[in-house]
Amino acid sequence: TRLRAMRSSLAIAAGSATAAIASYYLSRAISKYGAKGFVRLIWEGDHLEPNVREAWDALDGLEASAVPREEKRLEKVEIAFETARLNSVDGSDDQILEQYPQIKKDLSMVSYRLDKVAAEVDSVQSHGNAEVKRRKKQLSRTLVGMMER
């Protein structure tokens, strides 16, 4: 009887600990995703609504491929411009662009592509999701910073 009582106490303690841990993780998930998001996570495997997931994935794609690609192109143009500036005796920026039409052409192409990427970011619908809005704003700021260089 004494051994049986110890086993029951141990089983109750283990069950209580399991319930406490489960309720902790459950409350954490609900506070992170909200009740709807938590149910969607359990039921569909994703805490975001499908239209928000689509917007999120579109921003991921732009951030992972388009922005770094244009960053590299912009750096190449900047290096070419700085090299031309160093080789110039006494030239202003406008004179350098007149002397090196390829730099001017490359710069205008980078500007066009950055505008195109910015338009793609603007075309992503946020669907009222604050996190998507924040990411759009952050990506737009990055693009504006690149345009100002």
PDB file of all heavy atoms in Angstrom, residues 8 17 24 38 41 43 45 47 55 61 68 77 89 91-92 94 96 98-99 118 126 134 145:
ATOM      1  N   SER A   8       1.257   6.629  -6.912  1.00  0.00           N
ATOM      2  CA  SER A   8       0.186   7.554  -7.229  1.00  0.00           C
ATOM      3  C   SER A   8       0.635   8.995  -7.044  1.00  0.00           C
ATOM      4  O   SER A   8       0.304   9.859  -7.852  1.00  0.00           O
ATOM      5  CB  SER A   8      -1.055   7.385  -6.397  1.00  0.00           C
ATOM      6  OG  SER A   8      -1.248   6.200  -5.813  1.00  0.00           O
ATOM      7  N   ALA A  17       3.069  18.477 -13.511  1.00  0.00           N
ATOM      8  CA  ALA A  17       4.182  19.144 -14.190  1.00  0.00           C
ATOM      9  C   ALA A  17       3.932  19.219 -15.690  1.00  0.00           C
ATOM     10  O   ALA A  17       4.161  20.258 -16.329  1.00  0.00           O
ATOM     11  CB  ALA A  17       5.494  18.414 -13.904  1.00  0.00           C
ATOM     12  N   TYR A  24       1.797  26.503 -20.097  1.00  0.00           N
ATOM     13  CA  TYR A  24       2.756  27.594 -20.310  1.00  0.00           C
ATOM     14  C   TYR A  24       2.987  27.794 -21.809  1.00  0.00           C
ATOM     15  O   TYR A  24       2.903  28.915 -22.315  1.00  0.00           O
ATOM     16  CB  TYR A  24       4.083  27.288 -19.604  1.00  0.00           C
ATOM     17  CG  TYR A  24       5.209  28.206 -20.026  1.00  0.00           C
ATOM     18  CD1 TYR A  24       5.245  29.523 -19.586  1.00  0.00           C
ATOM     19  CD2 TYR A  24       6.215  27.759 -20.868  1.00  0.00           C
ATOM     20  CE1 TYR A  24       6.263  30.365 -19.986  1.00  0.00           C
ATOM     21  CE2 TYR A  24       7.236  28.585 -21.263  1.00  0.00           C
ATOM     22  CZ  TYR A  24       7.260  29.890 -20.813  1.00  0.00           C
ATOM     23  OH  TYR A  24       8.273  30.724 -21.207  1.00  0.00           O
ATOM     24  N   PHE A  38      -3.419  30.881 -33.389  1.00  0.00           N
ATOM     25  CA  PHE A  38      -3.054  29.613 -32.764  1.00  0.00           C
ATOM     26  C   PHE A  38      -3.879  28.466 -33.336  1.00  0.00           C
ATOM     27  O   PHE A  38      -3.356  27.404 -33.660  1.00  0.00           O
ATOM     28  CB  PHE A  38      -3.227  29.694 -31.242  1.00  0.00           C
ATOM     29  CG  PHE A  38      -2.929  28.396 -30.548  1.00  0.00           C
ATOM     30  CD1 PHE A  38      -1.634  27.929 -30.452  1.00  0.00           C
ATOM     31  CD2 PHE A  38      -3.950  27.638 -30.013  1.00  0.00           C
ATOM     32  CE1 PHE A  38      -1.356  26.732 -29.825  1.00  0.00           C
ATOM     33  CE2 PHE A  38      -3.684  26.431 -29.384  1.00  0.00           C
ATOM     34  CZ  PHE A  38      -2.383  25.982 -29.283  1.00  0.00           C
ATOM     35  N   LEU A  41      -2.658  27.776 -36.707  1.00  0.00           N
ATOM     36  CA  LEU A  41      -1.387  27.067 -36.633  1.00  0.00           C
ATOM     37  C   LEU A  41      -1.608  25.577 -36.410  1.00  0.00           C
ATOM     38  O   LEU A  41      -0.986  24.738 -37.067  1.00  0.00           O
ATOM     39  CB  LEU A  41      -0.521  27.646 -35.506  1.00  0.00           C
ATOM     40  CG  LEU A  41       0.827  26.979 -35.259  1.00  0.00           C
ATOM     41  CD1 LEU A  41       1.747  27.193 -36.448  1.00  0.00           C
ATOM     42  CD2 LEU A  41       1.465  27.538 -34.004  1.00  0.00           C
ATOM     43  N   TRP A  43      -4.504  23.893 -36.985  1.00  0.00           N
ATOM     44  CA  TRP A  43      -5.343  23.304 -38.020  1.00  0.00           C
ATOM     45  C   TRP A  43      -4.654  23.288 -39.387  1.00  0.00           C
ATOM     46  O   TRP A  43      -4.682  22.290 -40.100  1.00  0.00           O
ATOM     47  CB  TRP A  43      -6.655  24.097 -38.103  1.00  0.00           C
ATOM     48  CG  TRP A  43      -7.687  23.420 -38.926  1.00  0.00           C
ATOM     49  CD1 TRP A  43      -8.085  23.770 -40.182  1.00  0.00           C
ATOM     50  CD2 TRP A  43      -8.456  22.270 -38.572  1.00  0.00           C
ATOM     51  NE1 TRP A  43      -9.053  22.923 -40.629  1.00  0.00           N
ATOM     52  CE2 TRP A  43      -9.313  21.978 -39.650  1.00  0.00           C
ATOM     53  CE3 TRP A  43      -8.525  21.459 -37.445  1.00  0.00           C
ATOM     54  CZ2 TRP A  43     -10.199  20.927 -39.651  1.00  0.00           C
ATOM     55  CZ3 TRP A  43      -9.413  20.407 -37.439  1.00  0.00           C
ATOM     56  CH2 TRP A  43     -10.232  20.153 -38.525  1.00  0.00           C
ATOM     57  N   GLY A  45      -1.302  24.549 -39.998  1.00  0.00           N
ATOM     58  CA  GLY A  45       0.154  24.495 -39.962  1.00  0.00           C
ATOM     59  C   GLY A  45       0.820  25.843 -40.169  1.00  0.00           C
ATOM     60  O   GLY A  45       2.033  25.915 -40.325  1.00  0.00           O
ATOM     61  N   HIS A  47       0.379  30.122 -38.856  1.00  0.00           N
ATOM     62  CA  HIS A  47      -0.391  31.052 -38.040  1.00  0.00           C
ATOM     63  C   HIS A  47      -0.917  32.253 -38.828  1.00  0.00           C
ATOM     64  O   HIS A  47      -1.760  32.994 -38.352  1.00  0.00           O
ATOM     65  CB  HIS A  47       0.448  31.538 -36.854  1.00  0.00           C
ATOM     66  CG  HIS A  47       1.599  32.406 -37.251  1.00  0.00           C
ATOM     67  ND1 HIS A  47       2.766  31.903 -37.753  1.00  0.00           N
ATOM     68  CD2 HIS A  47       1.744  33.744 -37.212  1.00  0.00           C
ATOM     69  CE1 HIS A  47       3.599  32.885 -38.011  1.00  0.00           C
ATOM     70  NE2 HIS A  47       3.008  34.015 -37.705  1.00  0.00           N
ATOM     71  N   ALA A  55       1.530  37.789 -49.042  1.00  0.00           N
ATOM     72  CA  ALA A  55       2.221  39.080 -48.977  1.00  0.00           C
ATOM     73  C   ALA A  55       3.586  38.910 -48.316  1.00  0.00           C
ATOM     74  O   ALA A  55       4.583  39.479 -48.763  1.00  0.00           O
ATOM     75  CB  ALA A  55       1.370  40.090 -48.201  1.00  0.00           C
ATOM     76  N   GLY A  61      10.725  37.291 -50.954  1.00  0.00           N
ATOM     77  CA  GLY A  61      11.360  37.132 -52.262  1.00  0.00           C
ATOM     78  C   GLY A  61      12.084  38.381 -52.718  1.00  0.00           C
ATOM     79  O   GLY A  61      13.207  38.307 -53.223  1.00  0.00           O
ATOM     80  N   PRO A  68      19.347  42.564 -52.959  1.00  0.00           N
ATOM     81  CA  PRO A  68      20.793  42.315 -53.046  1.00  0.00           C
ATOM     82  C   PRO A  68      21.346  42.435 -54.475  1.00  0.00           C
ATOM     83  O   PRO A  68      22.456  42.922 -54.671  1.00  0.00           O
ATOM     84  CB  PRO A  68      20.953  40.881 -52.535  1.00  0.00           C
ATOM     85  CG  PRO A  68      19.760  40.620 -51.716  1.00  0.00           C
ATOM     86  CD  PRO A  68      18.662  41.432 -52.335  1.00  0.00           C
ATOM     87  N   VAL A  77      28.391  50.509 -60.205  1.00  0.00           N
ATOM     88  CA  VAL A  77      28.309  51.841 -60.793  1.00  0.00           C
ATOM     89  C   VAL A  77      29.069  52.848 -59.923  1.00  0.00           C
ATOM     90  O   VAL A  77      29.786  53.710 -60.445  1.00  0.00           O
ATOM     91  CB  VAL A  77      26.838  52.271 -60.981  1.00  0.00           C
ATOM     92  CG1 VAL A  77      26.738  53.727 -61.392  1.00  0.00           C
ATOM     93  CG2 VAL A  77      26.158  51.386 -62.002  1.00  0.00           C
ATOM     94  N   VAL A  89      40.996  65.053 -64.052  1.00  0.00           N
ATOM     95  CA  VAL A  89      41.869  66.096 -63.537  1.00  0.00           C
ATOM     96  C   VAL A  89      41.077  67.079 -62.684  1.00  0.00           C
ATOM     97  O   VAL A  89      41.377  67.307 -61.526  1.00  0.00           O
ATOM     98  CB  VAL A  89      42.585  66.839 -64.696  1.00  0.00           C
ATOM     99  CG1 VAL A  89      43.417  67.979 -64.172  1.00  0.00           C
ATOM    100  CG2 VAL A  89      43.409  65.879 -65.507  1.00  0.00           C
ATOM    101  N   GLY A  91      37.172  67.494 -62.739  1.00  0.00           N
ATOM    102  CA  GLY A  91      35.845  67.341 -63.298  1.00  0.00           C
ATOM    103  C   GLY A  91      34.774  67.308 -62.234  1.00  0.00           C
ATOM    104  O   GLY A  91      34.936  66.707 -61.178  1.00  0.00           O
ATOM    105  N   SER A  92      33.679  67.963 -62.547  1.00  0.00           N
ATOM    106  CA  SER A  92      32.525  67.876 -61.670  1.00  0.00           C
ATOM    107  C   SER A  92      31.795  66.574 -61.986  1.00  0.00           C
ATOM    108  O   SER A  92      32.114  65.880 -62.952  1.00  0.00           O
ATOM    109  CB  SER A  92      31.605  69.079 -61.886  1.00  0.00           C
ATOM    110  OG  SER A  92      31.022  69.002 -63.163  1.00  0.00           O
ATOM    111  N   ASP A  94      28.869  66.191 -63.213  1.00  0.00           N
ATOM    112  CA  ASP A  94      28.218  66.291 -64.520  1.00  0.00           C
ATOM    113  C   ASP A  94      29.218  66.086 -65.647  1.00  0.00           C
ATOM    114  O   ASP A  94      28.916  65.430 -66.645  1.00  0.00           O
ATOM    115  CB  ASP A  94      27.524  67.643 -64.676  1.00  0.00           C
ATOM    116  CG  ASP A  94      26.335  67.794 -63.739  1.00  0.00           C
ATOM    117  OD1 ASP A  94      25.749  66.762 -63.365  1.00  0.00           O
ATOM    118  OD2 ASP A  94      26.011  68.944 -63.382  1.00  0.00           O
ATOM    119  N   ILE A  96      31.985  64.358 -65.489  1.00  0.00           N
ATOM    120  CA  ILE A  96      32.380  62.947 -65.498  1.00  0.00           C
ATOM    121  C   ILE A  96      31.327  62.118 -66.221  1.00  0.00           C
ATOM    122  O   ILE A  96      31.649  61.241 -67.026  1.00  0.00           O
ATOM    123  CB  ILE A  96      32.606  62.431 -64.059  1.00  0.00           C
ATOM    124  CG1 ILE A  96      33.852  63.093 -63.471  1.00  0.00           C
ATOM    125  CG2 ILE A  96      32.733  60.921 -64.024  1.00  0.00           C
ATOM    126  CD1 ILE A  96      34.062  62.841 -62.004  1.00  0.00           C
ATOM    127  N   GLU A  98      29.376  63.164 -68.534  1.00  0.00           N
ATOM    128  CA  GLU A  98      29.473  63.494 -69.963  1.00  0.00           C
ATOM    129  C   GLU A  98      30.636  62.748 -70.608  1.00  0.00           C
ATOM    130  O   GLU A  98      30.531  62.273 -71.739  1.00  0.00           O
ATOM    131  CB  GLU A  98      29.656  65.011 -70.157  1.00  0.00           C
ATOM    132  CG  GLU A  98      28.450  65.834 -69.792  1.00  0.00           C
ATOM    133  CD  GLU A  98      27.281  65.609 -70.717  1.00  0.00           C
ATOM    134  OE1 GLU A  98      27.510  65.403 -71.934  1.00  0.00           O
ATOM    135  OE2 GLU A  98      26.142  65.618 -70.232  1.00  0.00           O
ATOM    136  N   GLN A  99      31.746  62.635 -69.885  1.00  0.00           N
ATOM    137  CA  GLN A  99      32.936  61.964 -70.425  1.00  0.00           C
ATOM    138  C   GLN A  99      32.748  60.447 -70.501  1.00  0.00           C
ATOM    139  O   GLN A  99      33.328  59.795 -71.354  1.00  0.00           O
ATOM    140  CB  GLN A  99      34.168  62.266 -69.568  1.00  0.00           C
ATOM    141  CG  GLN A  99      34.689  63.666 -69.703  1.00  0.00           C
ATOM    142  CD  GLN A  99      35.864  63.908 -68.761  1.00  0.00           C
ATOM    143  OE1 GLN A  99      36.025  63.216 -67.773  1.00  0.00           O
ATOM    144  NE2 GLN A  99      36.661  64.916 -69.094  1.00  0.00           N
ATOM    145  N   ALA A 118      10.807  49.142 -56.044  1.00  0.00           N
ATOM    146  CA  ALA A 118       9.989  49.922 -55.113  1.00  0.00           C
ATOM    147  C   ALA A 118       8.506  49.813 -55.468  1.00  0.00           C
ATOM    148  O   ALA A 118       7.654  49.715 -54.578  1.00  0.00           O
ATOM    149  CB  ALA A 118      10.431  51.380 -55.121  1.00  0.00           C
ATOM    150  N   SER A 126      -0.997  44.687 -47.676  1.00  0.00           N
ATOM    151  CA  SER A 126      -0.707  44.328 -46.284  1.00  0.00           C
ATOM    152  C   SER A 126      -1.888  43.636 -45.610  1.00  0.00           C
ATOM    153  O   SER A 126      -1.710  42.991 -44.581  1.00  0.00           O
ATOM    154  CB  SER A 126      -0.320  45.573 -45.491  1.00  0.00           C
ATOM    155  OG  SER A 126      -1.401  46.467 -45.436  1.00  0.00           O
ATOM    156  N   ARG A 134       5.023  46.883 -41.451  1.00  0.00           N
ATOM    157  CA  ARG A 134       6.346  47.239 -40.930  1.00  0.00           C
ATOM    158  C   ARG A 134       7.436  46.786 -41.903  1.00  0.00           C
ATOM    159  O   ARG A 134       8.367  47.537 -42.198  1.00  0.00           O
ATOM    160  CB  ARG A 134       6.566  46.603 -39.560  1.00  0.00           C
ATOM    161  CG  ARG A 134       7.882  47.019 -38.894  1.00  0.00           C
ATOM    162  CD  ARG A 134       8.250  46.132 -37.723  1.00  0.00           C
ATOM    163  NE  ARG A 134       8.458  44.745 -38.082  1.00  0.00           N
ATOM    164  CZ  ARG A 134       9.567  44.275 -38.688  1.00  0.00           C
ATOM    165  NH1 ARG A 134      10.533  45.091 -39.016  1.00  0.00           N
ATOM    166  NH2 ARG A 134       9.687  42.993 -38.967  1.00  0.00           N
ATOM    167  N   GLY A 145      17.132  54.628 -49.469  1.00  0.00           N
ATOM    168  CA  GLY A 145      18.551  54.839 -49.118  1.00  0.00           C
ATOM    169  C   GLY A 145      19.469  54.503 -50.278  1.00  0.00           C
ATOM    170  O   GLY A 145      20.454  55.200 -50.530  1.00  0.00           O
TER     171      GLY A 145
END
